[in-house]
Amino acid sequence: MPRGPVERLGLDVSRFDLVVALAGNPNTGKSTVFNRLTGLRQHTGNWPGKTIARAEGGFGFNQRRYKIVDLPGTYSLRSASPDETVAREFLLFGQPDVTIIVADANCLERNLNLALQILQITDRAVLCLNLMDEARANGVAVDARRLAADLGIPVVPCAARSGEGMDRLLVEVEAVATKTFKPTPYRLKLDVPGLGQALAKLVAMLRRRFPDLANAEWIALRLLEGDRAVAALVESGELGRIGADHAALAAVGAVAGKGAA
Ligand SMILES: Nc1nc2c(ncn2[C@@H]2O[C@H](COP(=O)(O)OP(=O)(O)OP(=O)(O)O)[C@@H](O)[C@H]2O)c(=O)[nH]1
Ligand SMILES: [Mg+2]
């Protein structure tokens, strides 16, 4: 199997059909969801080249094998810290088949900030609206159906500690990962005069230099923001290598994804 971004990030996907990422703010129950889904079949280690702990594991559902990766808890994907860098690189270049966004139903507003950032990078996500037991005890009611319609992705109320909602979460994860259901996520509209043209120009330049790049719009936006980590990837040409690796992997069916989108 060719080496590619997924392996680059230290993940062996050869024995699995689909890759699931678990993302969310710190302390929202990501590891609890992870443990519920994987039981004891898990492996812990570090992200390659980093001292950030990583847990990955597997589970089976309806005859498919899923690899699940617990990403570091972060409030944003701005690459301000090593944790944020690891999370966003995995979402960008690992291109998981589905990302479970774990959110705390008790402080939804703060949690939705990260959720919207994730939905700028990927279409394939499911929101696990966790800690519903505490929300109920606190008198917090969340209209999950309305939230799903507004976000454009499935929303599953859960209480991972007791296992509530895990069955439905798996059904939605399967639907999105296998593309049976194609979410149309809400995208923030950037209403800044001239931005559209600047973006289009940058995207065209990026595509000329890196023909295999997925997420060119996202990269262009980060460049306009002055994101130094992304600028360094562009300047060094590393971005092209990552994009090309991914296209090669997608071509042999080693990873599902947008490939040379
Ligand atoms: N009441 C309640 N507690 C929960 C639920 N899910 C997780 N917890 C608790 O919340 C705490 C944090 O859970 P973790 O699974 O460690 O959260 P995490 O998102 O992995 O945290 P970080 O990895 O530090 O970002 C633990 O004490 C869990 O037992 C839930 O649905 N209900
Ligand atoms: Mg955790």
Side-chain angles (χ1 to χ4, degrees):
M1 195 167 96
R3 288 193 54 75
V6 175
E7 282 180 292
R8 231 172 79 85
L9 296 162
L11 192 68
D12 174 10
V13 294
S14 53
R15 289 184 302 113
F16 295 88
D17 301 319
L18 295 158
V19 176
V20 184
L22 263 175
N25 286 12
N27 216 31
T28 50
K30 292 178 298 302
S31 299
T32 308
V33 171
F34 179 93
N35 290 335
R36 277 270 157 207
L37 297 181
T38 60
L40 292 173
R41 294 173 303 249
Q42 58 181 273
H43 166 77
T44 50
N46 280 348
W47 288 89
K50 319 241 182 196
T51 51
I52 300 165
R54 170 169 90 187
E56 62 190 61
F59 63 89
F61 183 65
N62 287 344
Q63 277 84 52
R64 285 193 187 83
R65 295 159 303 174
Y66 290 78
K67 177 99 177 183
I68 183 165
V69 185
D70 195 6
L71 298 178
T74 61
Y75 292 107
S76 92
L77 295 179
R78 260 175 229 113
S79 172
S81 68
D83 282 12
E84 293 181 353
T85 305
V86 159
R88 83 171 190 177
E89 287 200 352
F90 191 81
L91 293 174
L92 260 182
F93 306 125
Q95 297 211 346
D97 297 292
V98 57
T99 298
I100 303 177
I101 305 169
V102 185
D104 181 346
N106 297 281
C107 39
L108 203 47
E109 200 173 325
R110 188 176 67 199
N111 281 244
L112 287 181
N113 181 32
L114 177 71
L116 290 173
Q117 288 185 32
I118 293 172
L119 294 182
Q120 286 193 316
I121 297 183
T122 180
D123 289 350
R124 294 201 243 151
V126 173
L127 189 81
C128 166
L129 190 60
N130 198 31
L131 293 131
M132 279 304 295
D133 53 337
E134 278 188 11
R136 280 191 294 265
N138 293 334
V140 175
V142 181
D143 186 344
R145 245 183 245 165
R146 172 83 190 275
L147 189 59
D150 286 349
L151 289 176
I153 59 170
V155 173
V156 185
C158 295
R161 198 156 69 181
S162 64
E164 181 188 327
M166 293 296 110
D167 291 349
R168 204 187 130 209
L169 185 66
L170 279 172
V171 170
E172 301 292 359
V173 160
E174 177 187 51
V176 173
T178 58
K179 302 185 185 165
T180 310
F181 176 70
K182 290 191 180 168
T184 45
Y186 175 78
R187 291 269 146 86
L188 293 170
K189 282 176 204 64
L190 298 155
D191 207 7
V192 180
L195 181 68
Q197 275 166 298
L199 256 183
K201 237 172 151 175
L202 252 182
V203 166
M205 286 166 71
L206 282 167
R207 291 228 167 99
R208 262 201 305 277
R209 179 153 174 221
F210 307 110
D212 296 324
L213 199 62
N215 308 308
E217 286 83 6
W218 190 87
I219 303 281
L221 270 175
R222 298 292 82 73
L223 290 175
L224 287 176
E225 271 178 13
D227 187 316
R228 272 179 286 164
V230 167
L233 283 174
V234 173
E235 272 164 28
S236 67
E238 171 93 342
L239 199 61
R241 207 171 69 72
I242 294 169
D245 279 357
H246 188 268
L249 273 180
V252 299
V255 292
K258 299 176 196 85

